[in-house]
Amino acid sequence: MTAAITVTGVEKTYASGFRALKGVDLEIRRGEIFALLGPNGAGKTTLISIVCGIVKATAGRVLVEGHDTVSAARITRSLIGLVPQELTTDAFETVLATVSFSRGLFGKAPDPAHVERVLRELSLWEKRDTQIIALSGGMKRRVLIAKALSHEPQILFLDEPTAGVDVELRRDMWAMVRRLKAQGVTIILTTHYIQEAEEMADRVGVINGGEIVLVENKAELMRKLGRKTLILTLEEPLPAVPDRLVRDGLALSADGTELAHSYDAKADRTGITTLLADLAASGVRVKDLRTEQSSLEEIFVNLVRTAAP
Amino acid sequence: MNLHAVKAIYHFEMARTRRTLLQSIVAPVLSTALYFVVFGAAIGGRINEVEGVPYGAFIVPGLIMLSLLTQSIANASFGIYFPRFTGTIYEVLSAPVSGLEIALGYVGAAATKSVILGLIILATAACIVPLRIDHPAVMLLFLVLTAVTFSLMGFVIGIWAEGFEQLQLVPLLIVTPLTFLGGSFYSVDMLPGFWRTVALFNPVVYLVSGFRWSFFSLADVPVGISLAATLACLGACLALTTWIFRTGYRLKK
Ligand SMILES: Nc1ncnc2c1ncn2[C@@H]1O[C@H](COP(=O)(O)OP(=O)(O)O)[C@@H](O)[C@H]1O
Ligand SMILES: [Mg+2]
């Protein structure tokens, strides 16, 4: 059993009648960093809230480390740490008090050494006796992260962790995420920034309009991203690809006026030189040429557009 | 049982009390002292004693109950409403805690505070009027039971309320009238026949009567019935709280 989280057929219709999730199936592997990518209103926060037990699913079930989040809530919840999207913090408590509170709330015996370590890692130790209300937005975000880590969760949810966050905190946060991953913590982050998913994630899931439209290894996505297409416009249309030119990744357009050669731009050999030599040898004359590249952004926009109702 | 969580919530709430010591302790003590002056001195001038107890002393148990009730409700309702209002409730909802544990933490803290407040008012009163307590153990029992019952009621109100107005609504429209008509300042026996019957439908009458019995061995209704009525109120509030957490009422979307 390697799944940290298994979501099966989860639907959510809010009291307003709005269908925020329309049957989500998703598996998060133990120890991975999973980026849930999607535009605003896609249902990311709703999905996380269901896994964490804050929102009740209308249908479907969620297993965390094999335990049902409804019938075995006490087990699943103690495994999870959540950094919410909104900056909802106490106001008059001190940083140390609020982080210690979280640890107790999640059923862990007091451990001042662990709390100190978490606060130091997040550069909060100097502020431990400050009232939260006196902290800047970035500092409050750090406090929320510290609260989520106070009880040593095995699974960490970061809901739009970098929205409105300064460069320094972003860097600290990613360093922390890598450190946690090294310790074996499973991390799920939501974002609508593609670079973030690219930079951090092992796998990327795209959600739109309450539906998962794609789940893929980031490496696979990057491969797609790294692929370019060389398009050759011919002087004379061809009825078919001449025998000499037939190879993987080469295709003739329907009207016979364009040859498209798809290749890996990051590979040592792209096959372009050979192709051009073979074209000349076959007597095919080229009028023009251009290259095309699909970015992750493009893939994403296409997915989201085609999936839109 | 997640005892660490109960402790965490309890300490969090008690820390809040310490931060707001002035509003939470000094203000109710002051207003109760004013009641003594106004009712004790003004009315006490006309009614010398009730059933052999000087009027100033006679109203002490009722006045303590009055503060106990209003403060328990105010404290407990605010304690749970505020995190709902600010959104920090997300953490409690996502934590491995049962409804019982959440209620224990919040209600336990609110009740503790009320009992402390009741004892302070009692001490204040003892400085102003000569007082005797015939049954101290029963007195403490009523004090604790009432504090817990009305803290639970406050907790329920804090979960039900959708705004600060609603938070004030139940105490203002129901609890305050019931307490004032609950025999704090008079013996129910002093009411004319019809109103006496009406008064017996007011649960506060039973609380005040039982509490007063523990002081002066005087009661409007037998103390056993008072105790039973108090326990019934507690049971009703407990049932309501259990139902709220089973259904996620107003807590989970
Ligand atoms: N409590 C609610 N009642 C009704 N609709 C809601 C509620 N919460 C969220 N929604 C709607 O559900 C959709 C998904 O919201 P959300 O999960 O927050 O999206 P995301 O986190 O991807 O931006 C949005 O259209 C939002 O307006
Ligand atoms: Mg969101």
Short mmCIF file of all heavy atoms in Angstrom, two decimals, chain A residues 18-52:
data_model
loop_
_atom_site.label_atom_id
_atom_site.label_comp_id
_atom_site.label_asym_id
_atom_site.label_seq_id
_atom_site.Cartn_x
_atom_site.Cartn_y
_atom_site.Cartn_z
N PHE A 18 -24.67 25.08 -5.37
CA PHE A 18 -23.54 25.10 -6.29
C PHE A 18 -22.75 23.80 -6.23
O PHE A 18 -22.40 23.32 -5.15
CB PHE A 18 -22.62 26.28 -5.96
CG PHE A 18 -21.48 26.43 -6.91
CD1 PHE A 18 -21.67 27.07 -8.12
CD2 PHE A 18 -20.23 25.89 -6.61
CE1 PHE A 18 -20.62 27.19 -9.02
CE2 PHE A 18 -19.18 26.00 -7.50
CZ PHE A 18 -19.37 26.66 -8.71
N ARG A 19 -22.48 23.22 -7.41
CA ARG A 19 -21.71 21.96 -7.45
C ARG A 19 -20.23 22.28 -7.58
O ARG A 19 -19.73 22.54 -8.66
CB ARG A 19 -22.15 21.11 -8.65
CG ARG A 19 -23.35 20.21 -8.35
CD ARG A 19 -23.62 19.30 -9.53
NE ARG A 19 -22.81 18.08 -9.50
CZ ARG A 19 -22.60 17.34 -10.56
NH1 ARG A 19 -23.08 17.69 -11.74
NH2 ARG A 19 -21.88 16.23 -10.45
N ALA A 20 -19.55 22.22 -6.47
CA ALA A 20 -18.13 22.60 -6.46
C ALA A 20 -17.23 21.45 -6.89
O ALA A 20 -16.17 21.67 -7.46
CB ALA A 20 -17.73 23.11 -5.08
N LEU A 21 -17.63 20.21 -6.60
CA LEU A 21 -16.86 19.04 -7.04
C LEU A 21 -17.79 18.06 -7.72
O LEU A 21 -18.86 17.73 -7.20
CB LEU A 21 -16.16 18.36 -5.86
CG LEU A 21 -15.07 19.15 -5.13
CD1 LEU A 21 -14.53 18.35 -3.94
CD2 LEU A 21 -13.92 19.53 -6.06
N LYS A 22 -17.37 17.58 -8.90
CA LYS A 22 -18.27 16.73 -9.68
C LYS A 22 -17.67 15.34 -9.86
O LYS A 22 -17.38 14.93 -10.99
CB LYS A 22 -18.52 17.36 -11.06
CG LYS A 22 -19.10 18.76 -10.94
CD LYS A 22 -19.03 19.48 -12.28
CE LYS A 22 -19.53 20.91 -12.12
NZ LYS A 22 -19.13 21.74 -13.27
N GLY A 23 -17.45 14.64 -8.76
CA GLY A 23 -16.91 13.28 -8.88
C GLY A 23 -15.42 13.27 -9.08
O GLY A 23 -14.93 13.07 -10.19
N VAL A 24 -14.68 13.48 -8.01
CA VAL A 24 -13.22 13.54 -8.10
C VAL A 24 -12.61 12.20 -7.67
O VAL A 24 -12.96 11.66 -6.63
CB VAL A 24 -12.67 14.68 -7.21
CG1 VAL A 24 -11.15 14.58 -7.08
CG2 VAL A 24 -13.07 16.02 -7.78
N ASP A 25 -11.74 11.66 -8.52
CA ASP A 25 -10.94 10.49 -8.18
C ASP A 25 -9.48 10.94 -8.22
O ASP A 25 -9.06 11.55 -9.21
CB ASP A 25 -11.14 9.36 -9.19
CG ASP A 25 -12.56 8.84 -9.16
OD1 ASP A 25 -13.00 8.42 -8.07
OD2 ASP A 25 -13.23 8.88 -10.21
N LEU A 26 -8.75 10.62 -7.16
CA LEU A 26 -7.37 11.08 -7.12
C LEU A 26 -6.60 10.22 -6.14
O LEU A 26 -7.13 9.83 -5.11
CB LEU A 26 -7.35 12.54 -6.66
CG LEU A 26 -6.00 13.27 -6.65
CD1 LEU A 26 -5.44 13.36 -8.05
CD2 LEU A 26 -6.18 14.67 -6.07
N GLU A 27 -5.34 9.92 -6.51
CA GLU A 27 -4.51 9.18 -5.58
C GLU A 27 -3.21 9.94 -5.37
O GLU A 27 -2.55 10.33 -6.33
CB GLU A 27 -4.23 7.78 -6.15
CG GLU A 27 -3.60 6.88 -5.11
CD GLU A 27 -3.55 5.43 -5.58
OE1 GLU A 27 -4.61 4.77 -5.50
OE2 GLU A 27 -2.49 5.00 -6.03
N ILE A 28 -2.89 10.17 -4.11
CA ILE A 28 -1.64 10.84 -3.78
C ILE A 28 -0.71 9.78 -3.21
O ILE A 28 -1.09 9.04 -2.30
CB ILE A 28 -1.85 11.94 -2.70
CG1 ILE A 28 -3.02 12.86 -3.07
CG2 ILE A 28 -0.56 12.71 -2.47
CD1 ILE A 28 -2.76 13.81 -4.18
N ARG A 29 0.50 9.70 -3.76
CA ARG A 29 1.43 8.66 -3.32
C ARG A 29 2.19 9.10 -2.07
O ARG A 29 2.46 10.28 -1.89
CB ARG A 29 2.44 8.35 -4.43
CG ARG A 29 1.75 7.77 -5.64
CD ARG A 29 2.73 7.64 -6.79
NE ARG A 29 2.01 7.33 -8.02
CZ ARG A 29 2.49 7.57 -9.24
NH1 ARG A 29 3.69 8.10 -9.39
NH2 ARG A 29 1.79 7.26 -10.30
N ARG A 30 2.53 8.13 -1.28
CA ARG A 30 3.25 8.45 -0.05
C ARG A 30 4.61 9.05 -0.38
O ARG A 30 5.34 8.52 -1.21
CB ARG A 30 3.43 7.17 0.78
CG ARG A 30 3.90 7.46 2.19
CD ARG A 30 4.06 6.20 2.98
NE ARG A 30 2.78 5.52 3.18
CZ ARG A 30 2.68 4.21 3.40
NH1 ARG A 30 3.76 3.47 3.40
NH2 ARG A 30 1.52 3.67 3.61
N GLY A 31 4.92 10.16 0.28
CA GLY A 31 6.24 10.76 0.15
C GLY A 31 6.44 11.68 -1.04
O GLY A 31 7.52 12.23 -1.22
N GLU A 32 5.39 11.87 -1.85
CA GLU A 32 5.58 12.73 -3.02
C GLU A 32 5.17 14.17 -2.72
O GLU A 32 4.49 14.45 -1.74
CB GLU A 32 4.79 12.20 -4.22
CG GLU A 32 3.28 12.44 -4.13
CD GLU A 32 2.54 12.00 -5.41
OE1 GLU A 32 3.19 11.84 -6.45
OE2 GLU A 32 1.32 11.82 -5.34
N ILE A 33 5.61 15.06 -3.62
CA ILE A 33 5.08 16.42 -3.61
C ILE A 33 4.11 16.50 -4.78
O ILE A 33 4.49 16.29 -5.93
CB ILE A 33 6.20 17.47 -3.78
CG1 ILE A 33 7.22 17.35 -2.65
CG2 ILE A 33 5.58 18.87 -3.82
CD1 ILE A 33 8.35 18.37 -2.74
N PHE A 34 2.87 16.75 -4.46
CA PHE A 34 1.83 16.77 -5.48
C PHE A 34 1.30 18.19 -5.61
O PHE A 34 0.93 18.80 -4.62
CB PHE A 34 0.68 15.83 -5.08
CG PHE A 34 -0.36 15.65 -6.14
CD1 PHE A 34 -0.25 14.62 -7.08
CD2 PHE A 34 -1.44 16.52 -6.23
CE1 PHE A 34 -1.21 14.45 -8.07
CE2 PHE A 34 -2.40 16.36 -7.22
CZ PHE A 34 -2.29 15.32 -8.15
N ALA A 35 1.31 18.71 -6.82
CA ALA A 35 0.78 20.06 -7.03
C ALA A 35 -0.60 19.95 -7.65
O ALA A 35 -0.78 19.31 -8.68
CB ALA A 35 1.70 20.87 -7.93
N LEU A 36 -1.57 20.57 -6.99
CA LEU A 36 -2.92 20.62 -7.53
C LEU A 36 -3.08 22.00 -8.15
O LEU A 36 -3.08 23.01 -7.47
CB LEU A 36 -3.92 20.40 -6.39
CG LEU A 36 -5.38 20.15 -6.78
CD1 LEU A 36 -5.51 18.93 -7.68
CD2 LEU A 36 -6.22 19.96 -5.53
N LEU A 37 -3.17 21.96 -9.47
CA LEU A 37 -3.12 23.19 -10.23
C LEU A 37 -4.51 23.49 -10.76
O LEU A 37 -5.18 22.59 -11.27
CB LEU A 37 -2.14 22.94 -11.39
CG LEU A 37 -1.51 24.06 -12.14
CD1 LEU A 37 -0.72 24.93 -11.22
CD2 LEU A 37 -0.59 23.48 -13.21
N GLY A 38 -4.95 24.72 -10.65
CA GLY A 38 -6.26 25.04 -11.20
C GLY A 38 -6.60 26.49 -10.98
O GLY A 38 -6.10 27.10 -10.03
N PRO A 39 -7.44 27.06 -11.85
CA PRO A 39 -7.80 28.47 -11.71
C PRO A 39 -8.66 28.69 -10.46
O PRO A 39 -9.11 27.73 -9.83
CB PRO A 39 -8.60 28.76 -12.98
CG PRO A 39 -9.13 27.43 -13.40
CD PRO A 39 -8.12 26.41 -12.97
N ASN A 40 -8.86 29.95 -10.12
CA ASN A 40 -9.71 30.27 -8.97
C ASN A 40 -11.10 29.68 -9.13
O ASN A 40 -11.67 29.73 -10.22
CB ASN A 40 -9.85 31.79 -8.84
CG ASN A 40 -8.72 32.36 -8.00
OD1 ASN A 40 -8.28 31.72 -7.05
ND2 ASN A 40 -8.26 33.53 -8.37
N GLY A 41 -11.61 29.11 -8.06
CA GLY A 41 -12.97 28.57 -8.10
C GLY A 41 -13.03 27.15 -8.65
O GLY A 41 -14.11 26.60 -8.84
N ALA A 42 -11.85 26.55 -8.91
CA ALA A 42 -11.84 25.21 -9.51
C ALA A 42 -12.31 24.13 -8.53
O ALA A 42 -12.76 23.07 -8.94
CB ALA A 42 -10.42 24.89 -10.00
N GLY A 43 -12.17 24.43 -7.23
CA GLY A 43 -12.57 23.43 -6.23
C GLY A 43 -11.40 22.90 -5.41
O GLY A 43 -11.56 21.92 -4.69
N LYS A 44 -10.25 23.54 -5.52
CA LYS A 44 -9.06 23.06 -4.80
C LYS A 44 -9.28 23.09 -3.29
O LYS A 44 -9.06 22.10 -2.60
CB LYS A 44 -7.83 23.93 -5.16
CG LYS A 44 -7.52 23.99 -6.65
CD LYS A 44 -6.28 24.81 -6.94
CE LYS A 44 -6.43 26.30 -6.67
NZ LYS A 44 -7.38 27.00 -7.56
N THR A 45 -9.70 24.26 -2.80
CA THR A 45 -9.89 24.41 -1.36
C THR A 45 -10.99 23.48 -0.86
O THR A 45 -10.87 22.88 0.21
CB THR A 45 -10.20 25.87 -1.01
OG1 THR A 45 -9.11 26.69 -1.45
CG2 THR A 45 -10.40 26.07 0.48
N THR A 46 -12.04 23.34 -1.65
CA THR A 46 -13.13 22.44 -1.26
C THR A 46 -12.61 21.02 -1.11
O THR A 46 -12.91 20.35 -0.12
CB THR A 46 -14.24 22.48 -2.34
OG1 THR A 46 -14.68 23.83 -2.48
CG2 THR A 46 -15.41 21.60 -1.96
N LEU A 47 -11.80 20.57 -2.06
CA LEU A 47 -11.28 19.20 -2.01
C LEU A 47 -10.41 19.01 -0.77
O LEU A 47 -10.56 18.02 -0.03
CB LEU A 47 -10.48 18.91 -3.29
CG LEU A 47 -9.91 17.50 -3.42
CD1 LEU A 47 -11.01 16.46 -3.33
CD2 LEU A 47 -9.14 17.34 -4.72
N ILE A 48 -9.53 19.96 -0.52
CA ILE A 48 -8.66 19.87 0.67
C ILE A 48 -9.50 19.86 1.93
O ILE A 48 -9.25 19.08 2.86
CB ILE A 48 -7.68 21.06 0.68
CG1 ILE A 48 -6.64 20.87 -0.41
CG2 ILE A 48 -7.02 21.21 2.04
CD1 ILE A 48 -5.61 21.97 -0.45
N SER A 49 -10.51 20.74 1.97
CA SER A 49 -11.33 20.85 3.18
C SER A 49 -12.06 19.54 3.45
O SER A 49 -12.29 19.18 4.60
CB SER A 49 -12.35 21.98 3.02
OG SER A 49 -11.68 23.19 2.80
N ILE A 50 -12.43 18.82 2.40
CA ILE A 50 -13.10 17.54 2.59
C ILE A 50 -12.12 16.52 3.16
O ILE A 50 -12.43 15.80 4.10
CB ILE A 50 -13.73 17.05 1.26
CG1 ILE A 50 -14.96 17.91 0.95
CG2 ILE A 50 -14.10 15.57 1.34
CD1 ILE A 50 -15.59 17.63 -0.39
N VAL A 51 -10.90 16.50 2.62
CA VAL A 51 -9.91 15.54 3.14
C VAL A 51 -9.62 15.83 4.61
O VAL A 51 -9.47 14.92 5.42
CB VAL A 51 -8.61 15.60 2.31
CG1 VAL A 51 -7.57 14.66 2.89
CG2 VAL A 51 -8.88 15.25 0.85
N CYS A 52 -9.58 17.12 4.96
CA CYS A 52 -9.24 17.50 6.35
C CYS A 52 -10.44 17.44 7.29
O CYS A 52 -10.28 17.63 8.49
CB CYS A 52 -8.66 18.90 6.38
SG CYS A 52 -7.09 19.02 5.53
#
